[in-house]
Amino acid sequence: MQRRTFMQMASASALAAMLARRGWAEGAPMPVLSEEEQYELDTVLAEIEALGPGMIDMAVMEDPGEPMAPEFAEDGTPIVRSIISAGSMSAVFPIPPITDELKEELTGKKYWNLPPDQREVPAWPAITSAPDYLHLAMYAAPPQEFVLSAELLALLAARNDFVLDMEAPVVVFGLRGCHLPDGVNTTGWVREQALTEGAPTHLKLDCTMGLWRPADGMIALFRAGTVPAVGYMFKSLVTGGSGTSLLPTGLYEYRRGDHLAGKPGVQRGALRMQGTYPVLRTAATLTYNPFLQTTAWTLGSVHNIHAAGMTFVYGSAGCQVIQGDYVRPERLKTKGAWDEFRQLAGTVDADGGALEDGQTRFQYVLLTGLEAALAYQGEAGFAETYRPLRFGSSGPRVAALQGRLIRDHDGAVKQLSENGVFDTATSFAALIDSKLSQGDFASTVVAEA
């Protein structure tokens, strides 16, 4: 088997040369973009701008060894290769420079403008390949219908060693791959809510996000998307995966702020991701299958929580998005489920203005609908063995895991310590572990008691 690092891809200069071979006109002026085109372009460029040009280089030893020579397929697509050895590993990814040529190519790459018979259908990997589901493959499939409650959320959080601030007004949560009943975009505050589990499609808002009020155990649910939309996955094939990526499940921190601040499509009263974290990218296909040679784990950025739009063609390059939009031209007031989310979360006042007080820091628990359905079913086998660790977990079990990873992999990941917090360095170390145990960098979730 070809042994890989997370991703060893062509250098940024080689990638630029590849893009030039696709026939861009040097120095041609950028055309005037529609509001939709400008928003889509700014969305993809946001992560590229945040990560910066050149190479992402995270969790690398001081002397990672010589990188592999760039390789290209016949159509000019960079071939992803990786290697891992006992003494070193590398996690590198080319970030292209932002040029007018790149902007033009991204703008013209429109999935939904293709004839239906020419659109590649995005595929969600099977449970034995999907990075957020691998640890659940051992369990028999539960009924797809289940009922979500604050008690069920508390159980899942405890089993994942998520330490939540139960004094906060609200905790934000997301369930990847489960949806509200047809026609229901928001529930308001409820004690419990029926949901249907099913794999995400990247084609529509088929996930659920919500607010959990610890003080009284009430929850409010919203139609949402927690995976990138196919239009953005397709657009980012131009850059070999830069600009669009899949956020793995875990516990994340957000703060109140604006999404795409300073851009024409700014979304005020959104929630902005904090800190560093891993993401999964796809460089050549419309699937986030970590066992493919053209996928890679790297650092991510700008995976904010914001409005998805009002139609089924939702807007997300990896952000966590809720059905709804902003009223033009002021873009202060909102509509759809996003309007209710902002009001109930207390990020804005009734007129869409920023609040001077109220909650500013938010924890976001992202899990899968399948985990919630299994927990609701309550089979003894699941209850006895479901104790995964993942990004955001903390406590003695995490410290013990970190100690084992340090011993087993001889310090392959710098910055990894026994701090008891499942952080970015621990995520990369867990990926090395899965490489050796499962044959590839399969998942950041560690399924161990």
Side-chain angles (χ1 to χ4, degrees), residues 44-392:
V44 172
L45 292 181
E47 187 186 45
I48 297 176
E49 289 175 341
L51 293 173
M55 308 292 287
I56 299 175
D57 196 349
M58 176 62 187
V60 183
M61 287 191 69
E62 294 302 322
D63 182 17
E66 290 296 320
M68 296 177 63
E71 296 180 73
F72 294 94
E74 291 182 1
D75 64 355
T77 303
I79 298 174
V80 178
R81 289 289 187 270
S82 303
I83 53 176
I84 184 171
S85 67
S88 68
M89 55 72 91
S90 178
V92 293
F93 191 86
I95 301 296
I98 297 175
T99 63
D100 285 347
E101 289 80 11
L102 178 60
K103 292 178 181 179
E104 184 176 355
E105 183 76 353
L106 287 170
T107 300
K109 190 83 169 176
K110 298 180 179 180
Y111 179 84
W112 294 106
N113 282 9
L114 295 174
D117 61 351
Q118 294 181 23
R119 295 179 199 147
E120 177 188 349
V121 178
W124 187 256
I127 190 172
T128 52
S129 301
D132 293 318
Y133 289 74
L134 266 170
H135 63 294
L136 303 174
M138 61 185 291
Y139 305 112
Q144 288 185 291
E145 305 290 333
F146 69 96
V147 176
L148 184 69
S149 64
E151 290 75 19
L152 195 65
L153 289 171
L155 171 64
L156 290 169
R159 288 300 179 118
N160 282 270
D161 286 17
F162 290 160
V163 178
L164 302 180
D165 180 4
M166 303 307 284
E167 300 299 318
V170 295
V171 173
V172 186
F173 65 88
L175 292 178
R176 175 167 290 160
C178 75
H179 59 85
L180 288 162
D182 290 346
V184 177
N185 292 323
T186 180
T187 64
W189 291 115
V190 295
R191 283 285 173 196
E192 57 185 31
Q193 175 62 48
L195 297 171
T196 302
E197 186 272 330
T201 64
H202 302 285
L203 294 169
K204 60 182 181 178
L205 294 170
D206 46 19
C207 301
T208 298
M209 291 178 64
L211 297 170
W212 169 14
R213 203 163 59 190
D216 59 5
M218 300 293 279
I219 56 176
L221 286 78
F222 310 88
R223 187 169 301 276
T226 69
V227 301
V230 64
Y232 291 88
M233 297 168 67
F234 184 70
K235 196 177 288 290
S236 284
L237 296 182
V238 168
T239 62
S242 291
T244 300
S245 53
L246 178 71
L247 180 71
T249 51
L251 173 62
Y252 299 92
E253 181 178 337
Y254 285 75
R255 291 189 181 276
R256 196 170 69 193
D258 295 343
H259 175 64
L260 294 182
K263 304 292 185 180
V266 60
Q267 294 201 21
R268 299 178 177 88
L271 301 182
R272 294 172 58 88
M273 173 74 92
Q274 306 297 301
T276 63
Y277 51 92
V279 295
L280 182 62
R281 301 183 187 279
T282 178
T285 67
L286 299 182
T287 181
Y288 288 100
N289 184 339
F291 291 90
L292 298 181
Q293 287 188 326
T294 50
T295 56
W297 293 93
T298 78
L299 287 181
S301 186
V302 200
H303 286 71
N304 299 331
I305 296 175
H306 62 81
M310 296 294 288
T311 67
F312 77 94
V313 183
Y314 68 101
S316 170
C319 288
Q320 311 295 284
V321 296
I322 293 172
Q323 185 268 351
D325 206 348
Y326 285 74
V327 178
R328 275 57 160 183
E330 294 84 1
R331 304 187 67 88
L332 289 174
K333 293 187 176 182
T334 49
K335 54 186 176 180
W338 178 241
D339 183 63
E340 185 163 335
F341 176 89
R342 294 203 312 165
Q343 298 290 334
L344 297 184
T347 64
V348 295
D349 61 25
D351 295 321
L355 294 174
E356 295 183 2
D357 54 7
Q359 188 171 351
T360 59
R361 172 184 170 272
F362 295 82
Q363 290 178 297
Y364 176 50
V365 177
L366 175 60
L367 295 170
T368 66
L370 180 55
E371 286 164 299
L374 285 165
Y376 178 75
Q377 183 186 33
E379 291 286 342
F382 179 78
E384 293 168 359
T385 60
Y386 177 74
R387 292 298 306 276
L389 297 173
R390 64 186 96 199
F391 190 92

Side-chain angles (χ1 to χ4, degrees), residues 1-85:
M1 177 184 293
Q2 174 80 42
R3 298 176 78 93
R4 304 194 285 158
T5 59
F6 302 119
M7 187 172 200
Q8 178 62 59
M9 202 166 140
S11 68
S13 59
L15 181 59
M18 174 200 73
L19 297 176
R21 289 200 298 272
R22 293 183 176 174
W24 287 351
E26 284 270 349
M30 277 289 293
V32 177
L33 304 183
S34 68
E35 178 183 318
E36 179 181 1
E37 288 174 328
Q38 186 65 58
Y39 180 81
E40 291 177 352
L41 177 62
D42 288 341
T43 296
V44 172
L45 292 181
E47 187 186 45
I48 297 176
E49 289 175 341
L51 293 173
M55 308 292 287
I56 299 175
D57 196 349
M58 176 62 187
V60 183
M61 287 191 69
E62 294 302 322
D63 182 17
E66 290 296 320
M68 296 177 63
E71 296 180 73
F72 294 94
E74 291 182 1
D75 64 355
T77 303
I79 298 174
V80 178
R81 289 289 187 270
S82 303
I83 53 176
I84 184 171
S85 67

